[in-house]
Amino acid sequence: MSVEQLGFIGLGLIGGSLVKTIRRLHPNISIIASSGRQSTITCAFEAGLIENRENAAIESFASCDYIFLCAPVQQNAGYIKQLKHIMKPSCILTDVGSVKGDIHKVVADLHMESRFIGGHPMTGSEQTGLSNATAYLLENAYYILTPTAQVKKDRVEEFREFIRSLGAIPMVLDSNTHDAATAAISHLPHVLAAALVNFVRQSDTPDETMKTIAAGGFKDITRIASSSPVMWEEICTANQTQILYMLDAFDQLLSSIRASIASSDSCGIREFFQSAKDYRDSLMVTPKGPGQTVFELYCDLIDEAGGIATIATILASNHISIKNIGIIHNREFEEGVLKIELYEKSSYDRTIALLRKYHYTVYER
């Protein structure tokens, strides 16, 4: 299928990043959009991201091949009802929400199951809005697709390939599996981060001693607490059952480690931290989907201009392809280090040997 026109309802961080990515990789595709704010549409038009200068009316989406719902979770249902009698027969409707159960129910109630493929880019930031969107946010990120059983397999494959063309890694799941997984790895961490920040706020001294000395560890684990409160209110409401299940399970785990600490159970305490370390370390080298494996390593940077370029040149001159590269800062390494992702084990091994040859300190994970 040749994609000629796309429609976007919502141009926030994810919608805006999709549009910027598509404009970068598929400049000939026509894109129209609507937003809650005319100022957002104006900015997008002036940046050359979309074709319409004014906020697109719902009727404007009639000729789109794909329509992306990128509005807040609870607003998308209303848009689906409006689009039902406007979409052309070959158009596929999708969304980017992190909860799939509710929207799949709306689609089923409207008898639109043959025209809907749910979507969730597993990427993001605590920042919001078009101004924080980037043309590389999707790069090497999982993009979960939750097609209904009624969507033809060739349409699912076409959409999967389109998402792959944006640099993301598409993975097909059913909506229930998706919501359970995201409750554990995304929604629960956001709840816990906010809870920890509120706990410290409530426990702090009048002169804010805790806030003053809060260092890397606290800031790393609570970074996502700066995300949009409105968005997380909607997510917690939409995925209530799964989040409550995960909170109850997590509460049991906290009770277990509390009991170990209370009884001075050294073995239990050590096992608690050891099992967490082993599992966390296993995330450093992890498969990225069928047939796609990424190997990660870290190395200290020489404090000089062009440090990253020097390493990139070393690898390029030895015909080693880099999947991703960037500086990270966290307490695990104390100072900033360079994270390098590679496509294959042989490249991973050669990179370690080369960097050590040039006297770089390399951390194998």
Side-chain angles (χ1 to χ4, degrees):
M1 173 184 171
S2 175
V3 180
E4 296 181 358
Q5 186 174 70
L6 300 175
F8 281 81
I9 296 179
L11 285 178
L13 177 72
I14 299 299
S17 294
L18 274 163
V19 168
K20 290 182 178 182
T21 301
I22 293 164
R23 184 58 69 221
R24 174 174 66 89
L25 296 172
H26 301 288
N28 294 326
I29 293 179
S30 171
I31 303 175
I32 61 171
S34 67
S35 172
R37 296 186 179 90
Q38 173 58 41
S39 58
T40 300
I41 295 297
T42 300
C43 289
F45 175 79
E46 292 179 349
L49 298 174
I50 59 177
E51 269 62 56
N52 53 298
R53 183 189 295 270
E54 302 297 326
N55 220 335
I58 200 73
E59 293 78 14
S60 304
F61 296 94
S63 58
C64 292
D65 298 303
Y66 296 129
I67 299 175
F68 289 79
L69 297 172
C70 306
V73 173
Q74 294 179 342
Q75 293 181 22
N76 284 334
Y79 289 118
I80 297 173
K81 294 176 183 177
Q82 296 178 59
L83 289 166
K84 178 178 180 179
H85 301 295
I86 293 171
M87 295 165 52
K88 65 182 183 181
S90 62
C91 179
I92 289 293
L93 183 66
T94 187
D95 76 317
V96 298
S98 68
V99 180
K100 300 269 77 83
D102 281 5
I103 196 165
H104 272 268
K105 184 178 185 304
V106 171
V107 168
D109 289 344
L110 292 171
H111 307 291
M112 295 179 65
E113 292 168 291
S114 65
R115 309 177 70 184
F116 181 76
I117 300 175
H120 179 201
M122 298 294 291
T123 185
S125 164
E126 70 275 15
Q127 304 300 318
T128 60
L130 180 64
S131 61
N132 291 300
T134 79
Y136 295 91
L137 190 67
L138 300 172
E139 193 76 21
N140 300 319
Y142 278 117
Y143 196 120
I144 309 300
L145 303 180
T146 60
T148 71
Q150 283 70 38
V151 182
K152 293 181 179 179
K153 290 184 179 180
D154 61 334
R155 299 308 312 277
V156 175
E157 189 57 32
E158 287 171 358
F159 189 59
R160 187 210 295 250
E161 287 308 306
F162 180 71
I163 295 302
R164 195 190 308 280
S165 76
L166 304 182
I169 303 166
M171 174 185 287
V172 176
L173 297 175
D174 67 81
S175 58
N176 290 331
T177 300
H178 168 276
D179 285 357
T182 54
I185 66 171
S186 176
H187 305 165
L188 178 63
H190 276 82
V191 172
L192 297 180
L196 182 56
V197 171
N198 283 326
F199 174 77
V200 170
R201 176 180 60 82
Q202 294 167 5
S203 305
D204 210 351
T205 59
D207 59 351
E208 297 188 325
T209 299
M210 296 181 186
K211 181 178 180 180
T212 301
I213 65 175
F218 180 79
K219 291 178 180 178
D220 285 346
I221 200 172
T222 61
R223 174 184 57 81
I224 54 178
S226 294
S227 300
S228 165
V230 174
M231 178 180 73
W232 282 99
E233 174 192 352
E234 294 181 344
I235 288 173
C236 287
T237 301
N239 205 23
Q240 179 191 64
T241 300
Q242 294 289 0
I243 293 174
L244 288 176
Y245 175 82
M246 296 301 171
L247 279 171
D248 290 343
F250 188 81
D251 186 54
Q252 292 179 13
L253 184 62
L254 282 181
S255 296
S256 176
I257 184 58
R258 185 190 188 284
S260 294
I261 294 172
S263 62
S264 299
D265 178 6
S266 298
C267 290
I269 295 170
R270 187 183 310 112
E271 172 57 26
F272 176 81
F273 286 103
Q274 186 65 53
S275 62
K277 180 184 185 308
D278 292 344
Y279 189 79
R280 178 63 178 81
D281 288 350
S282 75
L283 302 181
M284 299 293 187
V285 179
T286 181
K288 295 289 187 182
Q292 294 178 309
T293 302
V294 172
F295 297 92
E296 300 174 350
L297 59 88
Y298 301 79
C299 74
D300 287 336
L301 274 177
I302 298 173
D303 187 14
E304 62 182 13
I308 296 178
T310 300
I311 290 177
T313 300
I314 291 172
L315 299 185
S317 63
N318 285 274
H319 309 291
I320 295 176
S321 296
I322 300 171
K323 189 174 183 69
N324 202 2
I325 188 169
I327 298 174
I328 65 168
H329 297 272
N330 64 38
R331 203 169 177 81
E332 184 175 1
F333 296 106
E334 299 299 330
E335 301 294 339
V337 298
L338 193 67
K339 174 184 174 182
I340 305 172
E341 297 182 14
L342 300 137
Y343 287 93
E344 55 194 10
K345 182 68 163 58
S346 60
S347 294
Y348 175 80
D349 293 337
R350 289 174 60 212
T351 296
I352 292 173
L354 277 168
L355 293 181
R356 286 177 174 163
K357 174 183 175 182
Y358 287 94
H359 308 295
Y360 287 95
T361 300
V362 179
Y363 305 94
E364 300 179 59
R365 311 303 288 180

